[in-house]
Amino acid sequence: MDQAERLRNMIKASKRADDFQVARLITVTSGKGGVGKSNTAVNLAVQFRKMGYRVIIFDADFGLANIEVMFGAIPKYNLSDLIFRGMTLEEIMIEGPMGIFFISGGSGVAELSGLTKENVRFLAKKLVQLDQMADILIVDTGAGISDSVLEFVKISSEVVLVTTPEPTSIMDSYALLKALRRKEGFDPSYTEIRVMANRVMEKGEGHALYEKLKTVVDQFLEMKLSYLGSVPYDVNVSKAIMQQKPITITNKTAKASLAYEEIVKKLLDIKQEEQEKKIGISQVFLNLFHTSMKKIGTRIPKDTV
C-alpha cells in the first residue's frame, strides 16, 4: 500500500460528512530554542498514534527542519506548493513512523499575506480535508517571540509551552507570554496554555518551575496557565535523536517515553466541554492572517465545510 492509498484510507475512516467534526489542534511552542520543543511535538504525536488516533504534524518552524530530521525524511514540497503550484495535500505530505504524517510550512505561510480571494477559498477547501484525515493536528511553531510564533499561539485554543529548569528558559517563557498578552487580538479567556517542563533532574522540579512562572504571570499578566507535566532528563533521548527516531519508538520503556505517555493521557482526560471551542485548521489559517487579509474581506466559504 503506497502513501496516497493510505491517505485515502484515512479520509474514508473519518466521520461521515453529516457528522463532521474538526480535529483537535495542539500548538507546541517555547520561549527559546534548544529546549526540546520539536522533540516534544514528535513524541506526543507518537504517543497519540499508539492510542489509536490519526495524527498529522504541521511544521511551522520556518527555516529549520527539526521535524524532518527527527523523522529521517526530507519533503520535496511544502504549503507554498499547495497554494501556488497545484499540488495536492497528498503530494505535499510526508509519511513518518507509525503512519504519522507531517506537512512542511516552508515559505507558504509567509506568502499568505499576498493571497487573492480565490487563493484563500482554494486553501480553505484544501485544508478542510485535514480535519477529515486526522483526529489530532499538532503545530510545531518556531521558538521565541517572532510575529509568526505569536500569531499561531494567539489563535490556538490549546497550547503546550515547553520550558526547562534553566533560568534563561524560564525568563524566555515569561517573555513569550508577556509578548502574547500584549498581542492585538489575543483573548486570554480563549487560549489555554499548558506548561510542560522538559529535562528535569528530580521529581517535583517541574511543578516547582511551573509555580514560579505562574506566580509572576498571575501578578503581571493575568493569563490562564496550567501544569501539564514534566519529562525527566534522559540520555536515551540524545541517542534517539542521533538515530533520527523518536525516543518513544526506540526505547518505549525509557523514563522520557513513559513521561510522554503520561502527558498524552492527561491531555486526553481534559473535559470534553473544553474542546467545544475547537475550530478547524482552515479557520485557524484565516484567523492567523486576518489582519493582513482585511483587504480580501473573506472567511471560509460555507460550501467548504
Side-chain angles (χ1 to χ4, degrees), residues 1 30 44 48 93 99 102 105 108 128 153-154 181 213 245 261 286 290 297 302:
M1 184 186 299
S30 64
L44 292 181
F48 274 121
M93 293 172 68
F102 80 94
V128 162
V153 176
K154 181 185 76 174
R181 188 67 178 87
L213 181 61
K245 294 181 180 179
E261 182 180 2
L286 292 185
H290 174 73
K302 292 182 179 179

Side-chain angles (χ1 to χ4, degrees), residues 187-199:
D187 181 359
S189 67
Y190 172 77
T191 301
E192 179 72 27
I193 299 174
R194 301 185 171 94
V195 178
M196 194 206 87
N198 195 26
R199 301 175 192 152

Side-chain angles (χ1 to χ4, degrees), residues 285-305:
F285 270 87
L286 292 185
N287 290 351
L288 178 61
F289 289 89
H290 174 73
T291 301
S292 61
M293 291 194 297
K294 282 182 179 178
K295 58 183 179 181
I296 299 175
T298 187
R299 293 178 62 83
I300 297 179
K302 292 182 179 179
D303 60 354
T304 66
V305 293

Side-chain angles (χ1 to χ4, degrees), residues 104-115:
S104 172
S107 60
V109 173
E111 295 171 0
L112 285 180
S113 59
L115 294 185

Side-chain angles (χ1 to χ4, degrees), residues 23-232:
R24 181 174 178 178
L25 181 69
I26 299 174
T27 298
V28 182
T29 193
S30 64
K32 62 174 288 187
V35 299
K37 170 183 58 62
S38 295
N39 190 53
T40 294
V42 169
N43 282 293
L44 292 181
V46 170
Q47 294 293 21
F48 274 121
R49 188 73 189 99
K50 286 181 180 180
M51 296 180 187
Y53 293 90
R54 299 167 301 157
V55 185
I56 295 176
I57 300 176
F58 179 77
D59 188 355
D61 195 352
F62 315 125
L64 297 176
N66 292 336
I67 300 294
E68 301 163 19
V69 170
M70 295 184 67
F71 272 175
I74 306 299
K76 295 181 180 180
Y77 310 109
N78 57 45
L79 192 64
S80 180
D81 296 293
L82 174 72
I83 302 170
F84 302 108
R85 298 173 184 86
M87 297 288 182
T88 65
L89 274 174
E90 289 85 351
E91 289 172 325
I92 70 169
M93 293 172 68
I94 291 292
E95 184 175 4
M98 298 180 61
I100 299 169
F101 287 83
F102 80 94
I103 299 173
S104 172
S107 60
V109 173
E111 295 171 0
L112 285 180
S113 59
L115 294 185
T116 65
K117 183 175 181 179
E118 289 69 29
N119 289 149
V120 174
R121 290 175 63 92
F122 173 79
L123 179 61
K125 289 181 179 180
K126 289 295 183 181
L127 293 181
V128 162
Q129 296 177 33
L130 290 180
D131 284 314
Q132 296 176 280
M133 295 177 178
D135 302 303
I136 309 287
L137 283 169
I138 295 178
V139 174
D140 178 37
T141 75
I145 57 175
S146 67
D147 282 341
S148 62
V149 172
L150 292 175
E151 289 291 349
F152 262 114
V153 176
K154 181 185 76 174
I155 49 79
S156 299
S157 63
E158 192 168 7
V159 175
V160 174
L161 174 60
V162 182
T163 188
T164 69
E166 296 177 5
T168 53
S169 179
I170 300 173
M171 290 174 60
D172 287 328
S173 294
Y174 177 76
L176 183 147
L177 295 173
K178 182 179 179 180
L180 178 63
R181 188 67 178 87
R182 295 177 175 179
K183 189 73 175 175
E184 182 181 359
F186 172 69
D187 181 359
S189 67
Y190 172 77
T191 301
E192 179 72 27
I193 299 174
R194 301 185 171 94
V195 178
M196 194 206 87
N198 195 26
R199 301 175 192 152
V200 300
M201 300 303 295
E202 57 187 35
K203 187 176 181 180
E205 187 176 23
H207 198 274
L209 179 161
Y210 162 73
E211 289 293 345
K212 184 182 301 184
L213 181 61
K214 186 176 185 299
T215 297
V216 182
V217 169
D218 286 345
Q219 183 175 357
F220 297 106
L221 303 182
E222 296 181 350
M223 297 170 63
K224 292 194 303 181
L225 286 187
S226 62
Y227 181 57
L228 183 59
S230 64
V231 176

